[in-house]
Amino acid sequence: MDRVAGVKILTTIAAVGAEPRRKPRVLVPTMGALHKAHGELIRVARERAGKDGEVVVSIFVNPLQFEPGSDYERYPRPQKADEEFCRSAGVDLLFRPSVEEVYPNDRSTFVEEISLSSTLEGKSRPGHFRGVCTVVAKLFNILAPDAAVFGEKDFQQLAIVRRMVRDLNFNIDIVAVPTVREEDDLACSSRNQYLNPEERKQATILHDALRAAANAGKRSASDIVALARKTINEAPLARIDYVEVVDAETLQPLEMSGPNTVLLVAVFFGKTRLIDNITLA
Ligand code: PAF
């Protein structure tokens, strides 16, 4: 076991098992490259854990959720900076296993949600949510948290994790945290650092498009989508993957927006694919 001033760093499942635990244990699952949105997840976890509980952050770049040819190899892994981030955010325990620790070579079991995963990100990134569900289920089993915190930026992921928790009877509260944004309203993401300065500048169109479409007073999904697309297309470097209006729970496309509706977008700027969403009134 390693320790960075106050943060215990565990890298094996056996070490987690041997660690005395405080209740409630609140988990923030991450892939590292921690930034201010993770800081907010950790802050909410701290609040939830209270003075007697503990905040656990996991850092694991999960190969199973990257499609072939995507950015698994080049995904940022700033180990020291992440440790320092956890220390200054008041994390109690950092679980940072290797790929071999998490996935035995002869593994043959996966966790797959098959309804909510078939749309949006699931269509564009086949196998992605199977990878997410498998690793999140494993982290839940390994770390046995009482609650786990997820960001609303990954709206579909949050819905799928909730469904998995319900369907598989995990006794874990899922806590949702609103999207954290940069000063110019771009949603915080570890992938923002891939953007070159011009792409970064143009990427702010995403939130402009969501806001404009949400506030135009339209109810027809096709009008809302058309408005969002028109705004996004004003950025010459933007290449739209999808713009969809869906039910917030089932993630099925809707014809009219209602009380439980969300507008989601996925857009490439160069090679970098960004996602964002807004709740429609
Ligand atoms: O949102 C993420 O960072 C990842 O998908 C998660 C939940 C840590 C699983 O690898």
PDB file of all heavy atoms in Angstrom, residues 29-31 60 62 65 128 132 135-136 150 154 157, ligand 1:
ATOM      1  N   PRO A  29     -16.275   6.547  -9.457  1.00  0.00           N
ATOM      2  CA  PRO A  29     -15.508   5.786 -10.449  1.00  0.00           C
ATOM      3  C   PRO A  29     -15.023   6.718 -11.555  1.00  0.00           C
ATOM      4  O   PRO A  29     -15.805   7.515 -12.077  1.00  0.00           O
ATOM      5  CB  PRO A  29     -16.529   4.787 -11.031  1.00  0.00           C
ATOM      6  CG  PRO A  29     -17.831   5.082 -10.393  1.00  0.00           C
ATOM      7  CD  PRO A  29     -17.724   6.370  -9.628  1.00  0.00           C
ATOM      8  N   THR A  30     -13.740   6.647 -11.916  1.00  0.00           N
ATOM      9  CA  THR A  30     -13.203   7.527 -12.956  1.00  0.00           C
ATOM     10  C   THR A  30     -12.194   6.757 -13.806  1.00  0.00           C
ATOM     11  O   THR A  30     -11.776   5.655 -13.461  1.00  0.00           O
ATOM     12  CB  THR A  30     -12.451   8.757 -12.374  1.00  0.00           C
ATOM     13  OG1 THR A  30     -11.112   8.354 -12.003  1.00  0.00           O
ATOM     14  CG2 THR A  30     -13.138   9.359 -11.167  1.00  0.00           C
ATOM     15  N   MET A  31     -11.820   7.410 -14.911  1.00  0.00           N
ATOM     16  CA  MET A  31     -10.707   6.869 -15.698  1.00  0.00           C
ATOM     17  C   MET A  31      -9.483   7.783 -15.546  1.00  0.00           C
ATOM     18  O   MET A  31      -8.570   7.747 -16.378  1.00  0.00           O
ATOM     19  CB  MET A  31     -11.110   6.738 -17.172  1.00  0.00           C
ATOM     20  CG  MET A  31     -12.276   5.755 -17.352  1.00  0.00           C
ATOM     21  SD  MET A  31     -12.365   5.028 -18.992  1.00  0.00           S
ATOM     22  CE  MET A  31     -12.533   6.471 -20.000  1.00  0.00           C
ATOM     23  N   PHE A  60      -9.257   3.839 -13.402  1.00  0.00           N
ATOM     24  CA  PHE A  60      -8.986   2.664 -14.225  1.00  0.00           C
ATOM     25  C   PHE A  60      -9.398   2.987 -15.655  1.00  0.00           C
ATOM     26  O   PHE A  60     -10.580   3.233 -15.918  1.00  0.00           O
ATOM     27  CB  PHE A  60      -9.761   1.449 -13.694  1.00  0.00           C
ATOM     28  CG  PHE A  60      -9.528   0.198 -14.491  1.00  0.00           C
ATOM     29  CD1 PHE A  60      -8.258  -0.379 -14.534  1.00  0.00           C
ATOM     30  CD2 PHE A  60     -10.550  -0.396 -15.215  1.00  0.00           C
ATOM     31  CE1 PHE A  60      -8.022  -1.541 -15.283  1.00  0.00           C
ATOM     32  CE2 PHE A  60     -10.326  -1.551 -15.955  1.00  0.00           C
ATOM     33  CZ  PHE A  60      -9.061  -2.119 -15.992  1.00  0.00           C
ATOM     34  N   ASN A  62     -10.433   1.751 -18.687  1.00  0.00           N
ATOM     35  CA  ASN A  62     -11.043   0.440 -18.905  1.00  0.00           C
ATOM     36  C   ASN A  62     -10.975   0.037 -20.382  1.00  0.00           C
ATOM     37  O   ASN A  62     -11.757   0.558 -21.190  1.00  0.00           O
ATOM     38  CB  ASN A  62     -12.511   0.531 -18.430  1.00  0.00           C
ATOM     39  CG  ASN A  62     -13.298  -0.709 -18.749  1.00  0.00           C
ATOM     40  OD1 ASN A  62     -12.740  -1.809 -18.796  1.00  0.00           O
ATOM     41  ND2 ASN A  62     -14.594  -0.536 -18.970  1.00  0.00           N
ATOM     42  N   GLN A  65     -14.199  -0.654 -22.673  1.00  0.00           N
ATOM     43  CA  GLN A  65     -15.198   0.305 -23.137  1.00  0.00           C
ATOM     44  C   GLN A  65     -14.712   1.174 -24.290  1.00  0.00           C
ATOM     45  O   GLN A  65     -15.394   2.098 -24.706  1.00  0.00           O
ATOM     46  CB  GLN A  65     -15.720   1.165 -21.980  1.00  0.00           C
ATOM     47  CG  GLN A  65     -14.733   2.181 -21.423  1.00  0.00           C
ATOM     48  CD  GLN A  65     -15.274   2.837 -20.169  1.00  0.00           C
ATOM     49  OE1 GLN A  65     -15.307   2.261 -19.085  1.00  0.00           O
ATOM     50  NE2 GLN A  65     -15.722   4.080 -20.286  1.00  0.00           N
ATOM     51  N   HIS A 128     -19.449  -0.357 -26.233  1.00  0.00           N
ATOM     52  CA  HIS A 128     -19.003   0.601 -25.203  1.00  0.00           C
ATOM     53  C   HIS A 128     -19.700   0.360 -23.862  1.00  0.00           C
ATOM     54  O   HIS A 128     -19.036   0.235 -22.820  1.00  0.00           O
ATOM     55  CB  HIS A 128     -19.256   2.025 -25.699  1.00  0.00           C
ATOM     56  CG  HIS A 128     -19.054   3.079 -24.661  1.00  0.00           C
ATOM     57  ND1 HIS A 128     -17.812   3.375 -24.137  1.00  0.00           N
ATOM     58  CD2 HIS A 128     -19.936   3.897 -24.012  1.00  0.00           C
ATOM     59  CE1 HIS A 128     -17.942   4.334 -23.226  1.00  0.00           C
ATOM     60  NE2 HIS A 128     -19.208   4.659 -23.126  1.00  0.00           N
ATOM     61  N   VAL A 132     -18.604  -0.600 -20.046  1.00  0.00           N
ATOM     62  CA  VAL A 132     -18.891   0.245 -18.874  1.00  0.00           C
ATOM     63  C   VAL A 132     -19.602  -0.584 -17.793  1.00  0.00           C
ATOM     64  O   VAL A 132     -19.203  -0.583 -16.628  1.00  0.00           O
ATOM     65  CB  VAL A 132     -19.749   1.478 -19.267  1.00  0.00           C
ATOM     66  CG1 VAL A 132     -20.235   2.211 -18.023  1.00  0.00           C
ATOM     67  CG2 VAL A 132     -18.957   2.421 -20.172  1.00  0.00           C
ATOM     68  N   VAL A 135     -17.268  -3.149 -16.076  1.00  0.00           N
ATOM     69  CA  VAL A 135     -16.294  -2.611 -15.119  1.00  0.00           C
ATOM     70  C   VAL A 135     -16.988  -1.986 -13.913  1.00  0.00           C
ATOM     71  O   VAL A 135     -16.512  -2.113 -12.775  1.00  0.00           O
ATOM     72  CB  VAL A 135     -15.294  -1.637 -15.790  1.00  0.00           C
ATOM     73  CG1 VAL A 135     -15.863  -0.234 -15.952  1.00  0.00           C
ATOM     74  CG2 VAL A 135     -14.008  -1.581 -14.986  1.00  0.00           C
ATOM     75  N   VAL A 136     -18.112  -1.320 -14.134  1.00  0.00           N
ATOM     76  CA  VAL A 136     -18.791  -0.691 -12.998  1.00  0.00           C
ATOM     77  C   VAL A 136     -19.323  -1.781 -12.052  1.00  0.00           C
ATOM     78  O   VAL A 136     -19.197  -1.675 -10.827  1.00  0.00           O
ATOM     79  CB  VAL A 136     -19.913   0.274 -13.468  1.00  0.00           C
ATOM     80  CG1 VAL A 136     -20.763   0.744 -12.302  1.00  0.00           C
ATOM     81  CG2 VAL A 136     -19.297   1.482 -14.185  1.00  0.00           C
ATOM     82  N   PHE A 150     -22.059   9.756 -10.200  1.00  0.00           N
ATOM     83  CA  PHE A 150     -21.821   9.836 -11.640  1.00  0.00           C
ATOM     84  C   PHE A 150     -22.265  11.208 -12.155  1.00  0.00           C
ATOM     85  O   PHE A 150     -23.217  11.789 -11.633  1.00  0.00           O
ATOM     86  CB  PHE A 150     -22.629   8.765 -12.387  1.00  0.00           C
ATOM     87  CG  PHE A 150     -22.150   7.358 -12.121  1.00  0.00           C
ATOM     88  CD1 PHE A 150     -22.577   6.674 -10.986  1.00  0.00           C
ATOM     89  CD2 PHE A 150     -21.273   6.728 -12.992  1.00  0.00           C
ATOM     90  CE1 PHE A 150     -22.132   5.379 -10.729  1.00  0.00           C
ATOM     91  CE2 PHE A 150     -20.831   5.439 -12.738  1.00  0.00           C
ATOM     92  CZ  PHE A 150     -21.257   4.760 -11.612  1.00  0.00           C
ATOM     93  N   ASP A 154     -22.507  12.439 -18.915  1.00  0.00           N
ATOM     94  CA  ASP A 154     -22.651  11.120 -19.545  1.00  0.00           C
ATOM     95  C   ASP A 154     -24.055  10.606 -19.210  1.00  0.00           C
ATOM     96  O   ASP A 154     -24.230   9.656 -18.438  1.00  0.00           O
ATOM     97  CB  ASP A 154     -21.560  10.177 -19.038  1.00  0.00           C
ATOM     98  CG  ASP A 154     -20.192  10.644 -19.484  1.00  0.00           C
ATOM     99  OD1 ASP A 154     -19.957  10.670 -20.694  1.00  0.00           O
ATOM    100  OD2 ASP A 154     -19.380  11.020 -18.627  1.00  0.00           O
ATOM    101  N   GLN A 157     -24.934   6.936 -19.874  1.00  0.00           N
ATOM    102  CA  GLN A 157     -24.208   6.068 -18.939  1.00  0.00           C
ATOM    103  C   GLN A 157     -24.919   6.036 -17.583  1.00  0.00           C
ATOM    104  O   GLN A 157     -25.108   4.974 -16.979  1.00  0.00           O
ATOM    105  CB  GLN A 157     -22.776   6.571 -18.782  1.00  0.00           C
ATOM    106  CG  GLN A 157     -22.017   5.938 -17.639  1.00  0.00           C
ATOM    107  CD  GLN A 157     -20.547   6.315 -17.638  1.00  0.00           C
ATOM    108  OE1 GLN A 157     -19.781   5.778 -18.405  1.00  0.00           O
ATOM    109  NE2 GLN A 157     -20.144   7.238 -16.776  1.00  0.00           N
TER     110      GLN A 157
HETATM  111  O1  PAF B   1     -17.387   7.837 -16.920  1.00  0.00           O
HETATM  112  C1  PAF B   1     -16.288   7.240 -16.815  1.00  0.00           C
HETATM  113  O2  PAF B   1     -15.242   7.838 -16.522  1.00  0.00           O
HETATM  114  C2  PAF B   1     -16.244   5.750 -17.083  1.00  0.00           C
HETATM  115  O3  PAF B   1     -17.139   5.376 -18.070  1.00  0.00           O
HETATM  116  C3  PAF B   1     -16.433   4.903 -15.814  1.00  0.00           C
HETATM  117  C4  PAF B   1     -17.814   5.117 -15.211  1.00  0.00           C
HETATM  118  C5  PAF B   1     -15.375   5.255 -14.795  1.00  0.00           C
HETATM  119  C6  PAF B   1     -16.297   3.412 -16.149  1.00  0.00           C
HETATM  120  O4  PAF B   1     -15.053   3.122 -16.680  1.00  0.00           O
END
